[in-house]
């Protein structure tokens, strides 16, 4: 009888294909427990969250968080961990270069052979997407961490331009296309009282960026430049030394002077978007799709006709492109030299790249957070219209889903919780190829890394200081430009460019 049952089970397994087999294989074997260091969004890894309980059921592996509950700053906690010398089995961390440094010093073990032999799902994933594999390979050719991937090919778009379309309509204006159009529209917002209260209280362009660098990004993006490194036809350039950057700052300084840009843009901070939209004074911004699109539903009851909609970036050099692209990954996890059973750990890592694992991590628990509809996971009402009024992302995260470790995000998850307006915005940008290729996180060798970080941080401080002066009109960019370039070179721009170019070429050749 027993034999027949076993045979029947085997047949079922064969019929179901490999995945089921692997999961069932663990049944009856002893539960394994591994320690993990992980802090994400101020929370230490919690093995009691439903997603990880479920994974434990399926894999027989339990993870136990080692950071103490009051360690909410992951960088601090990480440094403390390393200095304690008490290594857990697994480390998850947001800064991939930190993990790779630890790896090259022997703190993490190379994973490439383990993945080859025991990680079929990860292998298949990398075979399918070679670009993602590049992100995993350190400068010395070893793989020390599995990145936590974004669904780059499906939702590269993360943020874009939003405008009060009802104001355009009210003033009889067309949707702006060129930078000149954008300028004219903002002038009209400023001078023609689109909110109809008889006062010139409109703030045509605002940004809720909370750091000078982020404010700068939000302003010069219209000219397709960035206050950092990017690539143009295979050549790595430092944005703030480019002619287009100069042009961008000059034009934005003019807009600022004319009151088209929030006069408190450098100091108003994270509450800006709420303030500008709730008070019916903000005209245009550049911000995240999902959260910005959600204002329509909230405000169209209190502000008549309120319609804040995504539009494509202004056309510049014949293209309508934003450089605000989502990175291909953020952070990752690896196995330390102290781990007793790396094979079991890599199998566990691999589980999250199976269809079942990926759904579990992205959507939470089947039947509670999601249901299968037409073969695809769809969030339930419990998530989308939570009875306690929690927003969808909070509900999902409470289950343990989307906790950054070393997984592969599914863009569907964001499209679903962001709702229709957000999907529409993301599709607008995606379908029009309006997102620039993001510059990769480069991999540095030890000596390069030290030198580059030193130069780059000085460059950043200096360009931010100058940009702020120019934008707010306390100095003139035409007058300063030559001495500014000289100063960049004195800091070491040329050396940094060389390191960047070599690292970039190495990355692309990998
Ligand atoms: Ca007004």
């Amino acid at each position: 009888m027993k034999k027949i049952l076993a045979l029947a089970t085997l047949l079922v397994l064969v019929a179901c294909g490999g995945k089921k087999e692997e999961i069932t294989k663990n049944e009856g074997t002893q539960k394994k427990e591994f320690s993990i260091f992980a802090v994400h969004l101020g929370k230490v890894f919690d093995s009691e969250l439903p997603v990880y309980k479920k994974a434990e059921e399926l894999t027989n592996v339990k993870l136990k968080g080692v950071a103490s509950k009051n360690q909410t700053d992951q960088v601090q906690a990480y440094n403390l961990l390393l200095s304690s010398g008490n290594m857990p089995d697994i480390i998850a961390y947001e800064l991939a270069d930190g993990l790779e440094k630890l790896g090259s010093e022997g703190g993490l073990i190379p994973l490439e052979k383990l993945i080859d032999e025991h990680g079929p799902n990860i292998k298949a994933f990398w075979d399918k997407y070679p670009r993602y594999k590049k992100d995993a390979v350190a400068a010395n050719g070893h793989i020390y961490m599995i990145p936590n991937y974004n669904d780059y090919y499906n939702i590269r778009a993360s943020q874009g331009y939003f405008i009060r379309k009802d104001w355009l309509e009210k003033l009889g204006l067309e949707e702006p296309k060129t930078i000149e159009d954008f300028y004219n529209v903002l002038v009209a917002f400023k001078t023609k009282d689109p909110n109809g209260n008889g006062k010139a209280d409109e703030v045509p362009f605002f940004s809720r960026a909370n750091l000078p660098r982020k404010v700068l990004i939000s302003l010069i993006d219209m000219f397709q430049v960035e206050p950092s490194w990017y690539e143009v036809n295979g050549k790595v350039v430092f944005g703030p030394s480019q002619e287009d950057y100069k042009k961008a700052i000059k034009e934005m300084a003019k807009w600022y002077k004319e009151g088209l840009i929030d006069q408190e843009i450098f100091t108003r901070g994270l509450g800006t978007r709420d303030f500008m939209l709730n008070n019916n004074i903000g005209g245009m911004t550049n911000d995240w799709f999902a959260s910005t699109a959600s204002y329509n539903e909230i405000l169209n009851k209190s502000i008549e006709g309120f319609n804040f909609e995504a539009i494509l970036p202004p056309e510049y050099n014949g293209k309508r492109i934003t450089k605000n692209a989502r990175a291909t990954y953020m952070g990752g996890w690896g196995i330390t030299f102290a781990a007793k059973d790396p094979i079991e750990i890599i199998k566990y890592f691999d589980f999250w790249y199976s269809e079942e694992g990926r759904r579990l991590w992205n959507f939470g628990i089947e039947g509670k957070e999601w249901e299968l509809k037409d073969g695809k996971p769809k969030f339930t009402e419990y998530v989308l219209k939570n009875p306690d009024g929690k927003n969808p992302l909070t509900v999902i995260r409470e289950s343990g889903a989307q906790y950054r470790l070393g997984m592969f995000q599914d863009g569907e998850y964001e499209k679903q919780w962001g709702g229709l307006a957000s999907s529409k915005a993301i599709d607008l940008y995606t379908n029009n190829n309006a997102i620039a290729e993001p510059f990769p996180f480069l991999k540095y060798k030890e000596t390069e890394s030290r030198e580059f970080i030193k130069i780059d941080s000085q460059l950043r401080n200096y360009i931010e200081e100058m940009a702020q002066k120019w934008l707010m009109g306390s100095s003139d960019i035409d007058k300063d430009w030559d001495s500014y370039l000289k100063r960049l070179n004195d800091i070491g721009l040329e050396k940094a460019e060389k390191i960047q170019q070599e690292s970039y070429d190495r990355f692309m050749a990998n």
Side-chain angles (χ1 to χ4, degrees):
M1 184 66 188
K2 221 177 175 183
K3 206 171 178 184
I4 294 166
L5 261 180
L7 185 66
T9 315
L10 187 70
L11 287 175
V12 170
L13 292 183
V14 170
C16 291
K19 211 161 292 144
K20 200 87 190 172
E21 187 185 28
E22 231 169 84
I23 289 156
T24 324
K25 224 166 35 192
N26 278 322
E27 270 173 24
T29 60
Q30 238 190 337
K31 187 164 283 183
K32 297 236 161 73
E33 187 174 297
F34 300 108
S35 53
I36 177 171
F37 169 88
V39 182
H40 181 223
L41 299 176
K43 290 200 171 87
V44 171
F45 180 83
D46 179 1
S47 59
E48 296 305 308
L49 293 174
V51 163
Y52 303 99
K53 293 294 271 187
K54 183 74 188 170
E56 194 181 316
E57 231 177 270
L58 295 169
T59 62
N60 254 333
V61 168
K62 182 188 172 101
L63 300 185
K64 201 167 177 306
V66 293
S68 92
K69 290 262 182 272
N70 50 26
Q71 286 177 323
T72 54
D73 180 323
Q74 64 162 322
V75 177
Q76 256 177 35
Y78 179 78
N79 290 334
L80 196 69
L81 174 83
L82 295 192
S83 64
S84 79
N86 251 336
M87 285 299 241
D89 297 294
I90 301 165
I91 296 181
Y93 191 42
E94 183 176 285
L95 305 176
D97 52 348
L99 287 177
E100 287 176 346
K101 182 169 181 287
L102 186 63
S104 67
E105 293 165 355
L108 297 178
I109 61 169
L111 304 178
E112 54 272 16
K113 201 161 162 262
L114 283 166
I115 292 168
D116 234 22
E117 289 167 5
H118 308 285
N121 292 309
I122 296 173
K123 245 178 87 169
F125 170 71
W126 282 342
D127 285 345
K128 191 171 172 196
Y129 303 106
R131 171 64 187 79
Y132 283 135
K133 188 174 181 187
K134 286 179 191 293
D135 289 326
V137 183
N140 65 6
H142 285 301
I143 292 172
Y144 296 112
M145 55 119 199
I146 314 278
N148 196 80
Y149 290 105
N150 295 322
D151 193 359
Y152 167 73
Y153 291 102
N154 289 310
I155 44 164
R156 288 168 70 181
S158 57
Q159 72 182 83
Y161 294 84
F162 280 78
I163 198 163
R164 283 289 296 268
K165 278 218 171 147
D166 55 319
W167 284 8
L168 288 177
E169 223 167 283
K170 205 165 170 185
L171 300 178
L173 298 167
E174 296 272 307
E175 192 183 305
K177 288 196 177 67
T178 63
I179 290 190
E180 208 184 0
D181 295 343
F182 272 68
Y183 171 80
N184 291 332
V185 159
L186 296 184
V187 170
F189 283 179
K190 177 84 192 157
T191 55
K192 296 196 170 150
D193 192 24
N195 68 5
N197 65 354
K199 288 186 265 181
D201 56 346
E202 287 80 359
V203 179
F205 184 89
F206 63 90
S207 166
R208 69 179 170 122
N210 60 337
L211 298 168
R213 176 182 174 70
K214 290 187 177 168
V215 174
L216 192 52
I217 290 172
S218 75
L219 292 176
I220 64 178
D221 181 67
M222 288 184 228
F223 291 78
Q224 297 161 17
V225 285
E226 286 172 86
S228 57
W229 300 91
Y230 50 93
E231 168 266 331
V232 183
N233 302 324
K235 189 167 174 272
V236 181
V237 301
F238 184 60
S241 67
Q242 307 298 304
E243 274 301 316
D244 277 342
Y245 178 86
K246 185 181 170 192
K247 232 192 230 175
I249 299 272
K250 210 174 147 176
E251 186 68 15
M252 288 301 119
K254 177 175 174 256
W255 293 20
Y256 184 85
K257 195 174 173 197
E258 293 174 14
L260 307 183
I261 292 168
D262 179 14
Q263 299 295 292
E264 290 172 49
I265 194 163
F266 281 101
T267 49
R268 205 186 291 273
L270 289 171
T272 301
R273 187 177 56 176
D274 270 341
F275 177 78
M276 294 292 169
L277 297 179
N278 291 341
N279 288 301
N280 196 18
I281 53 176
M284 187 172 106
T285 197
N286 180 343
D287 210 322
W288 288 82
F289 288 125
S291 58
T292 311
S294 72
Y295 279 85
N296 287 316
E297 208 172 316
I298 304 165
L299 289 179
N300 66 15
K301 292 172 200 90
S302 51
I303 301 172
E304 210 196 316
F306 183 91
N307 185 17
F308 203 47
E309 246 188 76
I311 55 168
L312 288 174
E315 185 182 302
Y316 185 67
N317 286 339
K319 286 178 294 186
R320 300 189 76 172
I321 276 180
T322 176
K323 290 182 88 69
N324 283 310
R326 195 185 297 258
T328 48
Y329 75 103
M330 186 57 71
W333 60 359
I335 304 174
T336 75
F337 73 92
K340 289 148 306 275
D341 199 345
I343 292 179
E344 278 308 315
I345 298 176
I346 209 74
K347 284 183 181 167
Y348 181 77
F349 283 8
D350 193 66
F351 158 75
W352 296 102
Y353 283 77
S354 68
E355 189 176 55
E356 193 169 23
R358 192 173 176 222
R359 282 177 179 168
L360 179 60
W361 184 78
N362 273 283
F363 296 93
I365 303 296
E366 184 174 10
K368 188 174 184 198
E369 276 94 22
W370 61 277
E371 284 159 356
L372 214 52
K373 276 185 194 152
D374 306 321
K376 286 180 179 160
K378 295 278 175 210
F379 283 129
T380 55
E381 295 272 291
Y382 174 72
V383 172
L384 298 176
K385 289 185 179 144
N386 183 263
D388 298 325
K390 292 176 189 162
N391 79 50
L393 197 53
T394 307
V395 181
I396 305 162
R397 287 208 162 118
E398 278 175 355
S399 76
Q402 301 290 333
Y403 186 93
R404 184 185 36 67
L405 295 165
M407 320 309 206
F408 179 30
Q409 205 166 54
D410 181 339
E412 258 311 300
Y413 118 89
E414 189 171 313
K415 284 191 179 175
Q416 285 184 34
W417 77 256
L420 196 61
S422 163
S423 293
K424 230 176 96 187
I426 291 173
D427 289 345
L428 174 73
Y429 273 61
T430 310
N431 298 340
N432 286 286
N433 291 320
I435 316 289
E437 188 82 15
F439 192 62
F441 296 117
L442 297 180
K443 314 284 187 174
Y444 302 103
K445 292 178 177 160
E446 185 74 36
T447 46
E448 293 172 337
S449 162
R450 242 177 293 134
E451 197 162 7
F452 177 72
I453 289 169
K454 204 176 120 207
I455 300 171
D456 191 51
S457 66
Q458 287 180 55
L459 290 174
R460 280 182 186 216
N461 288 339
Y462 180 58
I463 68 113
E464 278 174 28
E465 177 197 324
M466 292 309 290
Q468 214 163 324
K469 278 188 189 167
W470 291 328
L471 287 166
M472 298 175 77
S474 65
S475 197
D476 178 66
I477 190 164
D478 279 327
K479 193 169 70 50
D480 294 342
W481 189 248
D482 288 343
S483 63
Y484 165 81
L485 286 183
K486 185 180 176 303
R487 178 74 198 278
L488 295 182
N489 281 321
D490 289 346
I491 291 172
L493 178 60
E494 222 170 284
K495 180 74 205 173
E497 279 170 344
K498 189 165 171 278
I499 295 171
Q500 286 293 77
Q501 190 67 51
E502 281 171 12
S503 309
Y504 178 78
D505 293 343
R506 192 169 57 224
F507 182 89
M508 295 312 284
N510 230 332

